[in-house]
């Protein structure tokens, strides 16, 4: 039995994994899919003080309070930053890092560094009435849809789960100063369906930090593959169990 900890991306919540969690559990694995502070059932906690470090604390607290070991830590999109810093804090508890169409940072980088288009969103939010709320990206015409989701029923459901992202989450830098984190194996899953203009993906170096060959898998779908291709995503994750 493996332990999967699924961490959602910006604007999303733990509900984004609803189609994946039962598939992993049916296969006999333990699964956690929390909502980060300011999202989902914790949306009332959103505020300008919520940042990347807050979300890292969320993940590390869950790991330590549940006494989890050998965790397959999966980060979608923005959560690539979250799982990187979380693994830096508790590398002895993480068996594998999975970057799911995710930002893959270097030490000291923020979301703005990894995905430069984010700067425009942050600057717009800072000039807004709130000064800190970054609203979800709008739905675009097919084939882009809402975070790659195009089915009308799925779009309506997804839209109802989204919430604003605090600016501080996108400005705070990742901490990767623990050499032990480099020993953790990594897998990258890229969603290679239609990609909106301005969204970039860094190439994966051919060698992982632990010295082994890079492992990169692809899914022929949009960004939110946990909604559009849950069975196929689960099949890939089960290869790591």
């Amino acid at each position: 039995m493996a332990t999967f900890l699924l961490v959602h991306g910006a604007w999303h919540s733990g509900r984004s994994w609803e189609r994946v969690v039962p598939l992993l559990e049916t296969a006999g694995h333990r699964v956690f899919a929390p909502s980060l502070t300011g999202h989902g059932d914790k949306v009332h906690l959103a505020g300008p003080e919520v940042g990347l470090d807050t979300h890292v604390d969320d993940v590390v607290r869950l790991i330590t309070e549940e006494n989890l070991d050998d965790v397959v830590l999966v980060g979608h999109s923005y959560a690539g930053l979250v799982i990187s810093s979380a693994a830096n804090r508790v590398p002895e508890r993480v068996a594998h890092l999975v970057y799911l169409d995710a930002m893959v940072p270097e030490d000291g980088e923020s979301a703005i560094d990894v995905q430069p288009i984010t700067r425009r969103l942050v600057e717009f939010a800072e000039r807004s009435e709130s000064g800190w709320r970054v609203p979800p990206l709008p739905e675009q015409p097919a084939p882009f849809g809402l975070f790659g989701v195009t089915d009308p029923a799925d779009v309506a459901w997804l839209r109802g789960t989204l919430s604003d992202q605090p600016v501080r989450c996108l400005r705070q830098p990742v901490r990767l100063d623990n050499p032990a984190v480099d020993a953790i194996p990594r897998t990258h899953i890229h969603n290679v369906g239609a990609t909106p203009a301005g969204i970039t993906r860094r190439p994966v170096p051919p060698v992982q930090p632990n010295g082994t060959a890079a492992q990169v898998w692809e899914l022929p779908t949009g960004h939110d593959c946990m909604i559009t291709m849950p069975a196929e995503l689960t099949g890939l994750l089960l290869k790591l169990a």
Side-chain angles (χ1 to χ4, degrees), residues 23 43 56 61 86 97 103 124 126 139-140 167 172 200 207:
L23 298 178
V43 69
V56 174
R61 186 181 307 111
L97 289 168
M103 299 182 185
F124 181 80
E126 290 175 334
E139 182 181 356
Q140 300 184 50
V167 160
Q172 272 195 322
T200 58
V207 179

Side-chain angles (χ1 to χ4, degrees), residues 1-203:
M1 180 181 71
T3 298
F4 288 91
L5 175 46
L6 312 176
V7 187
H8 64 81
W11 303 292
H12 290 60
S13 74
R15 294 185 64 192
S16 62
W17 304 101
E18 283 186 359
R19 296 178 180 177
V20 173
V21 170
L23 298 178
L24 290 172
E25 290 179 335
T26 298
H29 304 294
R30 194 179 186 191
V31 187
F32 295 84
S35 290
L36 301 173
T37 297
H39 301 284
D41 59 337
K42 302 182 181 71
V43 69
H44 60 287
L45 299 176
E49 73 285 351
V50 174
L52 173 63
D53 288 350
T54 311
H55 292 161
V56 174
D57 288 342
D58 290 340
V59 172
V60 172
R61 186 181 307 111
L62 189 153
I63 290 173
T64 55
E65 289 182 353
E66 295 289 341
N67 196 26
L68 305 182
D69 286 306
D70 296 324
V71 177
V72 179
L73 190 53
V74 182
H76 177 237
S77 194
Y78 152 80
L81 308 177
V82 180
I83 67 169
S84 295
S85 271
N88 190 70
R89 296 256 302 271
V90 287
E92 71 283 357
R93 293 180 178 266
V94 179
H96 208 106
L97 289 168
V98 182
Y99 291 90
L100 177 57
D101 222 35
M103 299 182 185
V104 185
E106 300 291 339
D107 183 37
E109 289 188 322
S110 70
I112 293 173
D113 298 311
V114 181
Q115 190 62 256
I117 195 173
T118 306
R119 181 179 298 278
R120 300 210 311 255
L121 305 177
V122 167
E123 291 175 348
F124 181 80
E126 290 175 334
R127 293 194 302 268
S128 70
E129 182 178 352
S130 74
W132 64 270
R133 290 183 176 273
V134 182
L137 299 177
E139 182 181 356
Q140 300 184 50
F144 305 114
L146 183 63
F147 294 102
V149 178
T150 56
D151 177 84
D154 287 344
V155 168
W157 175 85
L158 175 60
R159 186 182 294 113
T161 70
L162 301 177
S163 56
D164 294 345
Q165 187 81 359
V167 160
R168 190 171 174 83
C169 297
L170 307 177
R171 280 205 176 278
Q172 272 195 322
V174 166
R175 294 190 180 96
L176 288 174
D177 54 3
N178 186 345
V181 77
D182 289 342
I184 302 172
R186 299 182 177 194
T187 292
H188 302 261
I189 301 176
H190 293 165
N191 300 330
V192 295
T195 302
I199 302 297
T200 58
R201 176 186 291 128
R202 287 178 170 177

